Amino acid sequence: MPKLSDEEQIRLEKLKKIRAAGTDPYPAKSTRTDKISTVLAEFAEKEKKGEKLTLVGRLKTIRVHGGLTFANLEDDSEKIQLAIKKDNVGAEKYQFFKDLIDMGDFVQVSGKLFLTHKGEKTLEVQEYILLSKS
């Protein structure tokens, strides 16, 4: 059996911690209200309405800034920035995200749209579910 790389060993250890926390790292079902390309095309309208959206995709980048984490979520149509705030998801879920979620993982996220100060179209995450650990 080939030796695992350091990255593979770290991710397998995270997988054990996810299961120990009582979370299924590979749930059978997920839901989504829109594809990311649709959300971006109808951004102004959906933001104005304050609609709660549910998106699914793969995390491409993760940038942690204390109690706020930005990430890029990509599906088969496009990518969008996510803002995951400790105050929105709760301290425990935020710590879980910071410690156990990696680039390459598939997630389901729900929240509302907003524009950042730099004009970046962003989904402010209110809840998330791990769909598949990479």
Side-chain angles (χ1 to χ4, degrees):
M1 187 155 136
K3 185 177 184 242
L4 297 175
S5 70
D6 290 344
E7 181 67 25
E8 289 169 320
Q9 289 174 2
I10 290 167
R11 288 185 183 230
L12 285 174
E13 189 58 38
K14 286 182 179 184
L15 182 59
K16 287 179 190 174
K17 289 178 181 177
I18 289 167
R19 285 187 168 130
T23 299
D24 179 0
Y26 306 103
K29 295 181 181 181
S30 68
T31 59
R32 121 176 122 176
T33 58
D34 298 279
K35 284 191 165 206
I36 295 171
S37 59
T38 304
V39 170
L40 295 175
E42 301 170 4
F43 186 88
E45 179 184 327
K46 289 182 180 292
E47 179 191 25
K48 185 177 179 183
K49 287 181 180 177
E51 290 183 38
K52 185 175 181 182
L53 307 171
T54 301
L55 306 173
V56 297
R58 182 175 226 160
L59 293 170
K60 299 304 274 186
T61 61
I62 299 174
R63 303 167 308 282
V64 179
H65 303 282
L68 171 64
T69 296
F70 289 103
N72 287 337
L73 182 74
E74 186 176 276
D75 67 10
D76 63 338
S77 69
E78 188 61 79
K79 70 178 178 178
I80 192 168
Q81 179 170 265
L82 306 176
I84 302 106
K85 294 181 182 179
K86 185 178 181 178
D87 294 343
N88 288 348
V89 298
E92 189 175 316
K93 287 280 283 183
Y94 186 75
Q95 197 63 46
F96 183 95
F97 190 93
K98 278 180 49 176
D99 293 346
L100 301 175
I101 304 296
D102 294 304
M103 289 186 300
D105 291 351
F106 286 86
V107 294
Q108 173 184 309
V109 293
S110 297
K112 296 184 180 180
L113 298 171
F114 75 100
L115 276 177
T116 66
H117 294 107
K118 293 184 178 183
E120 181 84 21
K121 295 175 180 178
T122 303
L123 181 76
E124 184 175 12
V125 176
Q126 296 168 336
E127 54 189 287
Y128 72 88
I129 298 169
L130 176 64
L131 296 178
S132 180
K133 186 73 182 145
S134 65

